[in-house]
Amino acid sequence: MLSCDICGETVSSEPDMKAHLLIVHMENEVICPFCKLSGVNYDEMCFHIETAHFEQNELERNFERINTVQYGTSDNRKDSSLQCRANINSGIHSACASNQPKTSAQSLSKDGTLKHKDFYSENLTESRKFLKSMEKQPDRTKLKESIYETMYSLPECPFCGKIEDNSQDMETHVKTKHADRLDTPLEDCNQLLYDCPMCGLICTNYHILQEHVDLHLEESSFGQGVNRVQCSRDLELAQQLQQEEDRKRRSEESRQEVEEFQKLQRQYGLDNSGGYKQQQLRNMEIEVNRGRMHPSEFHRRKADMMESLAIGVDDGKTKTSGIMEALYRYYQNAATDVRRVWLSTGVDHFHSSFGDKGWGCGYRNFQMLLSSLLQNDAYGDSLKDMSVPCIPKIQSMIEDAWKEGFDPQGASQLNNRLQGTKAWIGACEIYTLLTSLRIKCRIVDFHKSTGPLGTHPRLFEWILSYYASESEGSPKVVCTSKPPIYLQHQGHSRTVVGIEERKNRTLCLLVFDPGCPSREMQKLLKQDMEVSSLKQLRKFVGNLKHKQYQIVAVEGVLSSEEKISHLYLSFPVFTFLSLSFSQIFTFDSLFHKKVTFKKFFCVLSLSQIFFNFLWLDF
């Protein structure tokens, strides 16, 4: 690479350098780049620079060498240098145009050499001052720009390569010939321009604009299609999640229903875990393992149980007799706070044992009721040659009543099976069993509270009227011929054996509870019975606060024809004390119909049933 000693321009060969010198420095007026000397020829200018500006020229060459080492000689660097020089030369060209007209070397006087020498002596001091001022500049870039500020080159078109004489002509050429390539086209151009309505891009051709807008639309359609596909996938995923959640919810609900049903089965003894016999043996084995029962006692009780089950009669180990007589003596001699008291005929108390603990209250209450009926001669014909049965025998008797056709709804609810289970029984099963034995009875349902704080004063009034219907005169203690009353509420049942009317006119029931053990009931048999012993029997109005109560009251004996009528009626008679007359007649219109059996014809009327059994409400 060759560098021009005058302007520092770099060329690749000697012919290019000669052309550069001829065009730039020979045909134009020569001006010193350091002190602005002019009016001399090329040889004299070279001599001037070498003598007057030797130090500046050497410094510029060293700077070029440093710049070449530091940045390399890449094409990018050259282009940058050329561009920089082009910018500088445009300013130099303007300056040269304002100088005085050039003078040829031939027009110089013969004493030009002397003038040059004199000029050299004058400018030597000035050149040294200029060099010192340049050395004081800390930035090499500024120094280089001061060295190249006098450089000059013709402007070249960046699009087509055409060279113009000056920058104004080049600017006009670019704006007129290459306006479509400029970022901001000429405003005064006659060509029509088209703005893109979507992004604002300016197009010179309508077809180009159309293609450009089509690209926008295709991009938008593609985005919308992607969005639709994504929305469809999201919707499908949401539906799958919802279906999975619904499936899990249904599965959980089904599992909870199964668990609740199994819990109810266990609670009501329908879980096929065995019946009275299995529970009796299992609990006695537990007592032996805990040391509470001797093995010999275990085998003795087991033998007694097997014998009782074989003959179907209760072994009497849970029975307490003579309590009603003891109560009669107590009320005769004591109980000063009691105005009058009504007692049932003799009743034996039966409590739960190892075999029926937790589920046998209904069976034990039936034993209490039957023990009273067996002591009453009025029921001897219906209960002829009968003893108090054991619990498995009672279960068998209820199944036999179902087989006869009594209470088919209740039978289906218990799968027509009681033996070998721990199934609970209630008022309907007691009614069914008594009816099958030709015992006339009815169920009275107290289905809602009739007093403050959830109490049932109507229940007490009904029981008082039941016992007081036979009383004559005014004795303090009345021993009636009335059997006890079966009292049922949710989860438990008891037996009402009497009622007190206290001096403050309040009523108090006397109740046998099958959950009370024999040792507690035997305290009532003492001659000097304490008042505290009666606490387990007495139930005031405020003690019965269950939502609903049902009672089974015995009213006599059924004839064979009445038994058949009850059989084909096939549902227990409920007495709803809150029914109005209009409601009764509505039921009557529904149930008043002719029922024809094989050899039995009767006309049943629900109103007749109410008149026959619900005498209190009328």
Side-chain angles (χ1 to χ4, degrees):
M1 299 296 289
L2 301 177
S3 177
C4 177
D5 294 333
I6 299 175
C7 63
E9 180 70 17
T10 303
V11 296
S12 59
S13 62
E14 289 184 1
D16 293 338
M17 177 60 70
K18 290 181 180 180
H20 167 73
L21 294 175
L22 179 61
I23 296 173
V24 175
H25 302 294
M26 296 293 292
E27 295 181 356
N28 295 325
E29 181 181 7
V30 180
I31 301 175
C32 177
F34 301 106
C35 63
K36 309 299 182 181
L37 176 66
S38 62
V40 296
N41 59 21
Y42 175 75
D43 294 331
E44 291 175 341
M45 181 59 68
C46 290
F47 178 79
H48 165 72
I49 292 173
E50 290 295 334
T51 55
H53 307 293
F54 173 77
E55 294 178 351
Q56 290 91 329
N57 190 29
E58 187 69 17
L59 179 61
E60 194 274 344
R61 291 179 181 176
N62 292 337
F63 183 84
E64 285 292 335
R65 287 194 294 271
I66 293 172
N67 188 42
T68 303
V69 173
Q70 182 175 358
Y71 296 100
T73 59
S74 63
D75 294 337
N76 293 335
R77 183 60 187 168
K78 290 178 181 180
D79 295 341
S80 177
S81 299
L82 290 175
Q83 182 67 25
C84 180
R85 288 169 185 169
N87 295 335
I88 296 174
N89 288 337
S90 62
I92 295 175
H93 177 75
S94 301
C96 291
S98 62
N99 289 336
Q100 295 178 356
K102 60 182 181 179
T103 305
S104 173
Q106 297 177 359
S107 64
L108 290 175
S109 62
K110 296 180 179 179
D111 57 348
T113 303
L114 296 178
K115 291 181 180 180
H116 171 70
K117 293 181 179 178
D118 295 337
F119 185 80
Y120 169 74
S121 62
E122 292 175 0
N123 291 298
L124 180 60
T125 303
E126 182 180 355
S127 298
R128 290 177 178 175
K129 291 180 180 180
F130 176 78
L131 178 62
K132 290 181 180 180
S133 63
M134 296 297 293
E135 289 176 351
K136 290 181 181 180
Q137 295 181 7
D139 192 349
R140 291 184 177 180
T141 303
K142 293 182 179 180
L143 177 59
K144 184 177 179 180
E145 290 177 357
S146 65
I147 293 174
Y148 287 157
E149 67 181 357
T150 59
M151 294 181 180
Y152 170 78
S153 63
L154 296 177
E156 181 179 358
C157 177
F159 300 108
C160 62
K162 182 179 180 180
I163 298 175
E164 295 290 346
D165 294 335
N166 53 58
S167 59
Q168 289 81 0
D169 294 341
M170 179 57 65
E171 182 177 358
T172 303
H173 165 75
V174 171
K175 290 182 178 180
T176 55
K177 300 298 182 180
H178 307 290
D180 56 335
R181 298 188 180 185
L182 297 177
D183 292 338
T184 306
L186 290 177
E187 296 180 357
D188 57 349
C189 183
N190 296 327
Q191 188 176 6
L192 294 177
L193 302 178
Y194 304 93
D195 294 341
C196 174
M198 305 183 75
C199 66
L201 178 68
I202 299 176
C203 299
T204 59
N205 189 292
Y206 174 76
H207 298 288
I208 296 176
L209 176 63
Q210 184 175 4
E211 292 178 0
H212 173 74
V213 173
D214 290 341
L215 291 176
H216 280 298
L217 297 177
E218 290 177 2
E219 181 180 1
S220 176
S221 300
F222 177 76
Q224 292 177 0
V226 170
N227 292 335
R228 284 194 296 270
V229 172
Q230 185 65 31
C231 292
S232 177
R233 292 177 179 176
D234 293 343
L235 179 60
E236 182 179 358
L237 178 60
Q239 292 176 348
Q240 291 178 357
L241 293 176
Q242 184 64 37
Q243 292 175 358
E244 182 67 17
E245 184 178 353
D246 293 341
R247 186 187 64 79
K248 290 181 178 180
R249 178 178 53 79
R250 288 192 297 267
S251 176
E252 181 66 19
E253 290 177 354
S254 176
R255 185 187 63 81
Q256 291 180 358
E257 289 179 0
V258 171
E259 291 181 355
E260 291 294 332
F261 182 71
Q262 293 176 351
K263 183 179 179 181
L264 290 174
Q265 285 183 320
R266 289 192 300 269
Q267 179 180 354
Y268 293 101
L270 300 175
D271 57 346
N272 298 322
S273 61
Y276 178 86
K277 177 182 176 181
Q278 291 78 7
Q279 181 172 323
Q280 178 86 3
L281 294 175
R282 185 165 51 250
N283 288 336
M284 287 195 303
E285 289 175 357
I286 293 174
E287 293 296 312
V288 172
N289 294 333
R290 293 178 177 177
R292 299 176 182 176
M293 181 183 296
H294 197 271
S296 59
E297 179 69 13
F298 170 81
H299 290 290
R300 186 182 65 80
R301 289 193 178 188
K302 180 179 179 181
D304 294 340
M305 180 193 68
M306 298 304 293
E307 181 181 0
S308 174
L309 295 179
I311 63 177
V313 179
D314 187 78
D315 56 9
K317 295 185 179 299
T318 64
K319 181 177 72 171
T320 303
S321 301
I323 299 178
M324 301 306 297
E325 292 78 3
L327 290 175
Y328 178 81
R329 292 192 299 269
Y330 171 77
Y331 284 112
Q332 285 284 11
N333 303 320
T336 57
D337 56 342
V338 176
R339 180 173 177 269
R340 295 185 71 180
V341 59
W342 291 265
L343 299 176
S344 295
T345 187
V347 184
D348 296 332
H349 178 268
F350 290 83
H351 68 84
S352 300
S353 64
F354 287 130
D356 63 290
K357 186 176 182 179
W359 58 273
C361 59
Y363 301 96
R364 296 300 182 181
N365 285 309
F366 175 76
Q367 288 178 334
M368 297 182 199
L369 178 57
L370 188 60
S371 69
S372 178
L373 295 177
L374 291 174
Q375 299 179 44
N376 194 328
D377 296 335
Y379 302 94
D381 185 38
S382 300
L383 305 175
K384 187 177 181 180
D385 301 329
M386 188 175 182
S387 301
V388 177
C390 61
I391 289 180
K393 180 63 176 178
I394 297 174
Q395 292 176 327
S396 176
M397 293 168 65
I398 296 175
E399 290 180 358
D400 293 339
W402 288 342
K403 292 177 183 178
E404 292 183 36
F406 289 98
D407 192 17
Q409 293 83 7
S412 63
Q413 291 175 4
L414 296 174
N415 298 323
N416 297 289
R417 177 173 173 264
L418 287 177
Q419 293 187 80
T421 70
K422 295 180 286 188
W424 294 15
I425 62 173
C428 291
E429 287 72 33
I430 298 299
Y431 174 90
T432 298
L433 181 53
L434 291 174
T435 304
S436 67
L437 296 174
R438 293 175 51 214
I439 304 299
K440 184 179 180 180
C441 58
R442 61 170 169 171
I443 298 177
V444 182
D445 182 25
F446 299 88
H447 62 284
K448 66 178 183 180
S449 171
T450 56
L453 302 177
T455 58
H456 294 266
R458 290 291 303 275
L459 170 64
F460 286 74
E461 295 172 4
W462 196 97
I463 294 176
L464 176 61
S465 64
Y466 172 80
Y467 282 106
S469 60
E470 294 183 356
S471 62
E472 295 180 0
S474 59
K476 178 179 180 182
V477 183
V478 180
C479 292
T480 68
S481 61
K482 293 288 187 179
I485 298 174
Y486 178 91
L487 177 64
Q488 176 77 51
H489 60 80
Q490 178 64 36
H492 193 44
S493 61
R494 286 169 282 191
T495 299
V496 179
V497 298
I499 185 170
E500 295 178 351
E501 183 183 16
R502 307 178 74 84
K503 291 185 175 181
N504 59 1
R505 298 295 180 174
T506 59
L507 300 178
C508 177
L509 299 182
L510 299 177
V511 177
F512 281 2
D513 192 336
C516 185
S518 295
R519 63 178 178 272
E520 295 295 331
M521 299 300 295
Q522 289 175 358
K523 295 179 180 180
L524 300 173
L525 302 178
K526 296 180 180 180
Q527 293 292 333
D528 52 347
M529 182 191 305
E530 298 179 0
V531 179
S532 59
S533 300
L534 287 176
K535 287 184 178 180
Q536 57 188 341
L537 300 183
R538 285 174 168 165
K539 301 297 177 183
F540 295 92
V541 175
N543 299 130
L544 301 184
K545 292 185 178 181
H546 284 274
K547 183 178 180 180
Q548 183 178 7
Y549 288 91
Q550 286 180 332
I551 61 175
V552 180
V554 176
E555 297 181 330
V557 179
L558 292 173
S559 64
S560 299
E561 293 78 8
E562 290 175 333
K563 178 181 177 180
I564 294 174
S565 66
H566 283 75
L567 171 62
Y568 288 105
L569 190 61
S570 72
F571 64 90
V573 180
F574 290 86
T575 302
F576 297 94
L577 298 184
S578 62
L579 288 177
S580 63
F581 282 98
S582 61
Q583 291 173 314
I584 292 174
F585 293 141
T586 301
F587 280 110
D588 178 48
S589 63
L590 292 175
F591 287 95
H592 188 278
K593 58 184 178 179
K594 292 183 178 180
V595 182
T596 304
F597 304 108
K598 292 180 180 179
K599 291 185 180 181
F600 180 77
F601 177 84
C602 66
V603 178
L604 298 178
S605 172
L606 187 60
S607 60
Q608 293 174 356
I609 294 174
F610 273 96
F611 278 111
N612 289 333
F613 294 97
L614 189 55
W615 53 269
L616 179 63
D617 281 359
F618 298 95

